[in-house]
Amino acid sequence: MTSTSPPGPHGPAAAAGPDPAGRTALVTGAGSGIGRACASALAAAGALVHVVDMDAAAAKSVAAEIGGRAHVVDLAVAEAVEELPTDIDILVNNAGLQHVAPLTEFPPDRFALMQRVMVHAPFLLIRRTMPSMCARGWGRVVNISSVHGLRASAFKAGYVTAKHGLEGLSKVTALEGAPHGVTSNCVNPGYVRTPLVERQIGAQAAAHGIDAGQVVSEVLLSRSAVKRLIEPEEVAATVLWLCGPHTGYVTGASIPLDGGWTAA
């Protein structure tokens, strides 16, 4: 049966559309961990990457390493977000922070900070960059969510709330971007081997009086079928795939990289 779909960005020609080469990307929290791996992967694929981080030394180091451009920005400050470039093809919302405490003892200012960094800043960045994506008829928004965007854990009210909010924002972006060739998806890793998680391992080991290996297998990965941390490069490979030539029909999705956590 012969397809009657029109050529162009929404027809057969879109099935194997453009890849990241020659595109411009912006990655938040790109000074370390998942963000650094994403910035490196996109740069290796030929994209010019804007490296955004509040750690000046880290941002400049990564930018120099990958031939990108460093932006030292505190994403909790809305006015600072307004200083970032808008002419972007690929937006990776990755920056985040963690705080662990019982809900009744969770500091309200910390809760509010987490929402500003992980929900409000992505909203502002999508709002600023989406017009240029739509005008070109191609764009990729990738939101680094978490298994905690799909499931809850006790003592993580701020993080779980923020990631669930990011999931909703991503889906609305997908619906509004679809007529213009712009996709929006979440990537949902379990525990990733990042500086943030390494600090959690040390704190949990001290709190429970056990070694780091036990923390990983018995505490962090108790609900995961695969008993290892995921590496930042594995998350970045999924991000790169979402920005590649065969994913124009993937939008509004949440892709678990959780070792089977959500399968149970």
Side-chain angles (χ1 to χ4, degrees):
M1 182 175 179
T2 303
S3 171
T4 58
S5 299
H10 310 299
D19 60 29
R23 298 288 180 176
T24 301
L26 187 150
V27 183
T28 67
S32 65
I34 296 171
R36 178 174 187 153
C38 290
S40 297
L42 287 164
L48 169 65
V49 182
H50 292 276
V51 177
V52 179
D53 204 285
M54 65 185 301
D55 183 327
K60 292 174 183 176
S61 174
V62 173
E65 180 181 315
I66 67 172
R69 298 176 183 172
H71 301 267
V72 182
V73 172
D74 182 354
L75 294 175
V77 180
E79 294 76 14
V81 176
E82 298 298 314
E83 299 173 4
L84 292 171
T86 60
D87 193 14
I88 299 297
D89 302 296
I90 298 166
L91 172 64
V92 181
N93 287 309
N94 165 73
L97 64 156
Q98 182 62 281
H99 186 87
V100 180
L103 194 152
T104 54
E105 299 172 15
F106 210 98
D109 58 343
R110 193 69 173 174
F111 183 92
L113 172 65
M114 296 172 80
Q115 310 317 306
R116 289 200 303 275
V117 172
M118 292 191 279
V119 183
H120 193 224
F123 160 72
L124 292 176
L125 286 166
I126 293 169
R127 185 174 182 272
R128 284 170 54 76
T129 59
M130 199 166 169
S132 63
M133 295 182 190
C134 291
R136 276 190 294 272
W138 191 94
R140 297 291 180 264
V141 177
V142 184
N143 300 295
I144 306 301
S145 181
S146 166
V147 66
H148 282 117
L150 306 173
R151 298 288 188 273
S153 288
F155 311 120
K156 295 183 177 179
Y159 192 83
V160 171
T161 299
K163 292 303 186 183
H164 274 68
L166 184 62
E167 294 278 332
L169 175 63
S170 182
K171 288 178 172 61
V172 172
T173 305
L175 295 179
E176 295 189 15
H180 310 285
V182 177
T183 67
S184 176
N185 294 284
C186 286
V187 177
N188 302 71
Y191 285 102
V192 185
R193 193 184 304 279
T194 64
L196 185 148
V197 169
E198 296 285 5
R199 287 193 294 271
Q200 285 188 60
I201 292 171
Q204 292 273 12
H208 294 283
I210 58 179
D211 65 37
Q214 286 177 287
V215 170
V216 173
S217 62
E218 298 174 16
V219 180
L220 299 186
L221 302 182
S222 62
R223 288 179 282 182
S224 175
V226 179
K227 299 298 183 183
R228 70 168 177 84
L229 299 177
I230 186 171
E231 301 297 330
E233 292 75 17
E234 293 177 89
V235 180
T238 302
V239 172
L240 189 62
W241 174 73
L242 285 170
C243 299
H246 298 288
T247 51
Y249 208 72
V250 181
T251 196
S254 300
I255 302 174
L257 303 178
D258 61 2
W261 184 331
T262 54

